[in-house]
Amino acid sequence: MQLALFDLDHTLLNTDSDHSWGEFLVNEGLVDPVHHRQMNDKFYEDYKAGQLDPIAYNEFVFQFLTKHDNNYLTELHQLFMQKVIRPQMRPKGFEAIKRHQALGHELVGITATSDFITAPIFREFGITEIIATNAEVIAGQYTGKVTGIPCYQKGKLARLDQWLDGRSVTESWAYSDSINDRFLLEYATHAIAVNPDDRLEALAQEQAWEIQDWSI
């Protein structure tokens, strides 16, 4: 297998979909604006610092999901795509995906953000194999809990190993912006730092990894 792994937030997107979802809920008047924004911002700063508790963050995000039925949540996510996400989808991300598809590579979207938020976004990019932090669903209802290993830092490698299920990879590419994905980039045959944060940029220069600008 020749495998291309794509991070989502600030890689394929010009924004962070998880944080943007929280802002979207505030702007739509669907959550307490002061408390929700405060918590959302705090978790986002923790993520950027590499100190996020992925269980606590995702359970915070999932609280809203437990209060609504799936039809409403699907419609709300469609509005989120329209208002927030589509304008932030990077053309160079689409181009990279198409290059790998044309070469017959297996494409996987891999993200610390939940499957509820990211699966529709990855599919719009043309990626159908998705590894994300999974929201627990029982009898068709979100429970507010995380199920399985959070797809964050070394957890991304554990989840990728589960997805591979013993299949061998002969060559791989990994695209990410974040120092949180250093383990994923170290795993790949070809590591590509996309608009990297300061720490990832320094690591990429040290490791002679390719650095690309997808923001233009």
Side-chain angles (χ1 to χ4, degrees), residues 4-37:
L5 300 160
F6 289 89
D7 175 53
L8 183 65
D9 300 319
H10 292 295
T11 302
L12 292 174
L13 295 176
N14 269 320
T15 189
D16 182 284
S17 60
D18 223 355
H19 185 263
S20 293
W21 172 255
E23 281 293 299
F24 169 75
L25 295 181
V26 169
N27 292 335
E28 293 295 312
L30 299 172
V31 291
D32 176 84
V34 175
H35 173 72
H36 200 88
R37 179 168 280 147

Side-chain angles (χ1 to χ4, degrees), residues 191-212:
I192 301 96
V194 177
N195 298 91
D197 62 35
D198 291 344
R199 285 176 297 165
L200 181 58
E201 184 172 16
L203 180 63
Q205 290 170 345
E206 178 186 308
Q207 299 293 330
W209 292 343
E210 187 174 354
I211 298 174
Q212 295 185 5

Side-chain angles (χ1 to χ4, degrees), residues 49-65:
Q51 299 170 348
L52 180 69
D53 179 338
I55 298 286
Y57 183 32
N58 279 283
E59 289 185 352
F60 162 72
V61 174
F62 297 162
Q63 285 172 14
F64 180 82
L65 307 185

